Amino acid sequence: MAPPLTPSQTAIIKSTAPLLATHGTTITTHFYTTLLAAHPPLRSIFSATHQATGAQPRALAGALLAYATHIDDLGALSPTLALICAKHASLGITPAQYGVVGTGLLAALEDVLTPAVFTAEVKDAWAAAYWQLADIMIAAEAELYAQAAWQGWREFRVARKEVESAEITSFYLEPVDGGKLPRYKPGQYVSVQVPVPQLGEGVLQARQYSLSDAPGKGYFRISVKRESGLVSAAAGPGVEKGQPGWVSNILHAEKAVGDVVGVAHPYGDFYLEVEGEGPVVLISGGVGLTSLMAMLNALVERKSGRKVAWIHAARNASVRGFRGHVEEVEKTADNVHAVLFDTLGGRMDLGALDREKDLFLGDERAEYFICGPEGFMVDVETKLKAYGVDAGRIKMELFGTGGVPRGLEKL
């Protein structure tokens, strides 16, 4: 464990926040370039897409700025750190990797900032600050690993593929070892890892996918949207616009029944407690319905008496996943009703919903689960708060670009 920062070191770190605001992305871009060149195996940890678009360097720059700004009040970052640690655990991050990253980050700070600015005293303060944060995260991740049925990657076989819409396909994954699966909470996610030969020999990539069915079965189900072209207006020179998503396209086009992929233990703080009492409002946009589908199925299979509103927005019927399943649930479960929006050329309007029948605004026990594109979630959250719903009943897991939770990269 690193010793706590001294008051003078804390002051130094806070004083460097303006430098990070100005030069942060330059520092982190240099950091990733040199780190991945010196340690090629780490290319299997970091998203190649987020590296290519510059999203990962921007996210890390925002995280460093937030850390420097709140160095004397780390409690403000606790919820954010919990989300990041869960993602790290899903990728199997080890304490040794923190050492490699720390060395590279300090070197990048020293390379980009002038010697007059990044003095020996400043370097020592940042080394102490880095290890203070690293120790917190290593301990949190060790606790997550201790509670998990396995750490790292477990081999799963594709037992079934099922087309859910023009863009979404479900993959039913069963453990190759035939062992039991943990009873995850509906709403949680797993990481899935596959080789990506296009990025180089031996390079793997992992992506997080929500588990889209109720827990307690002999398989994990993920429902993946095929990302045909990821466009970033901020992509640098030479970066191909509209680059397809590596993992989603490999899963859709190349992984067949019987093929094996790596799967991490389920993690995530965005989930539903089925045993609650109040109404449940499940609001999703596009492929964001996957985590909410697990919640819906869990409520139905447990024969919950809670009132449930399923509210989903998609561009049109052809890309709307699980439509037939939702219609069947609505027919057979008296406590569930659905409202579907086609949003091609527009957005979902909560104002068109019945405030009591669809949103249960008169019931202070009602819980609201929102998942979809970031702009969609923020819009829904804002509207619900304007209707008088307190923040504690609105559940989201908003990650900014590159895996940093919303707000952290902007502080």
Side-chain angles (χ1 to χ4, degrees):
M1 290 287 291
L5 269 68
T6 65
S8 63
Q9 287 174 327
T10 298
I12 287 171
I13 296 300
K14 285 188 75 72
S15 74
T16 61
L19 290 172
L20 294 173
T22 303
H23 304 291
T25 302
T26 302
I27 293 166
T28 55
T29 299
H30 178 64
F31 158 71
Y32 281 117
T33 300
T34 54
L35 179 75
L36 296 178
H39 303 278
L42 292 180
R43 295 178 63 199
S44 294
I45 298 292
F46 296 105
S47 165
T49 299
H50 287 153
Q51 290 297 319
T53 62
Q56 193 77 59
R58 291 193 301 275
L60 178 58
L64 290 174
L65 175 58
Y67 183 47
T69 302
H70 293 278
I71 193 68
D72 54 354
D73 182 24
L74 294 184
L77 302 181
S78 293
T80 291
L81 292 178
L83 294 177
I84 295 175
C85 288
K87 185 171 183 181
H88 281 186
S90 80
L91 295 171
I93 300 300
T94 66
Q97 289 168 334
Y98 276 95
V100 172
V101 167
T103 299
L105 186 57
L106 289 172
L109 285 162
E110 192 166 20
D111 288 345
V112 173
L113 300 177
T114 65
V117 171
F118 200 68
T119 63
E121 188 178 33
V122 174
K123 183 176 181 179
D124 288 345
W126 262 106
Y130 175 82
W131 279 108
Q132 172 182 265
L133 182 61
D135 284 343
I136 292 170
M137 297 179 74
I138 288 169
E141 288 156 25
E143 187 172 337
L144 290 173
Y145 291 140
Q147 297 170 358
W150 73 90
Q151 179 178 345
W153 304 104
R154 182 177 175 184
E155 289 189 332
F156 278 64
R157 182 178 294 106
V158 178
R160 191 164 106 225
K161 289 177 69 171
E162 191 167 306
V163 174
E164 307 291 358
S165 77
E167 297 177 334
I168 300 171
T169 293
S170 287
F171 297 79
Y172 291 75
L173 307 174
E174 297 178 352
V176 172
D177 60 23
K180 292 184 177 181
L181 296 180
R183 192 175 182 87
Y184 56 88
K185 295 184 177 181
Q188 292 187 308
Y189 60 83
V190 292
S191 286
V192 175
Q193 185 189 63
V194 298
V196 183
Q198 299 92 327
L199 296 176
E201 185 178 354
V203 176
L204 304 166
Q205 288 284 277
R207 297 292 183 270
Q208 284 77 44
Y209 295 110
S210 298
L211 291 158
S212 63
D213 204 355
K217 300 175 181 177
Y219 59 79
F220 285 162
R221 186 179 75 178
I222 58 172
S223 301
V224 180
K225 178 186 176 184
R226 186 169 189 164
E227 298 288 357
S228 58
L230 302 178
V231 179
S232 172
V239 175
E240 181 182 354
K241 303 296 193 298
Q243 173 183 302
W246 287 117
V247 177
S248 70
N249 277 273
I250 286 172
L251 289 173
H252 274 254
E254 301 179 23
K255 292 302 177 184
V257 172
D259 288 346
V260 173
V261 297
V263 178
H265 193 277
Y267 290 102
D269 290 336
F270 176 69
Y271 56 79
L272 165 74
E273 294 288 3
V274 177
E275 295 77 14
E277 296 181 355
V280 178
V281 183
L282 305 174
I283 308 176
S284 59
V287 75
L289 87 173
T290 55
S291 58
L292 305 192
M293 181 57 60
M295 298 180 188
L296 177 67
N297 286 355
L299 288 163
V300 171
E301 291 179 17
R302 297 279 288 276
K303 300 187 185 306
S304 171
R306 304 176 73 178
K307 294 179 181 179
V308 181
W310 173 269
I311 302 167
H312 179 63
R315 297 195 312 278
N316 54 57
S318 71
V319 298
R320 191 186 306 283
F322 301 103
R323 182 164 188 166
H325 176 71
V326 171
E327 289 174 350
E328 185 62 25
V329 167
E330 197 173 16
K331 289 177 185 176
T332 57
D334 293 339
N335 59 320
V336 178
H337 76 277
V339 182
L340 306 179
F341 287 85
D342 288 341
T343 58
L344 186 62
R347 288 192 171 190
M348 184 183 77
D349 179 15
L350 283 190
L353 297 171
D354 186 295
R355 295 193 178 195
E356 295 307 323
K357 178 186 174 184
D358 300 327
L359 296 176
F360 308 110
L361 293 177
D363 192 330
E364 294 185 354
R365 302 171 303 164
E367 295 180 89
Y368 302 82
F369 294 84
I370 312 168
C371 196
E374 182 170 341
F376 170 88
M377 290 191 281
V378 172
D379 285 349
V380 172
E381 176 191 38
T382 300
K383 190 72 170 181
L384 289 175
K385 287 181 177 178
Y387 285 157
V389 179
D390 61 89
R393 293 189 286 129
I394 302 173
K395 317 292 183 180
M396 297 185 294
E397 188 172 51
L398 268 176
F399 275 88
T401 306
V404 175
R406 176 183 62 141
L408 178 60
E409 77 278 10
K410 298 174 184 176
L411 290 175

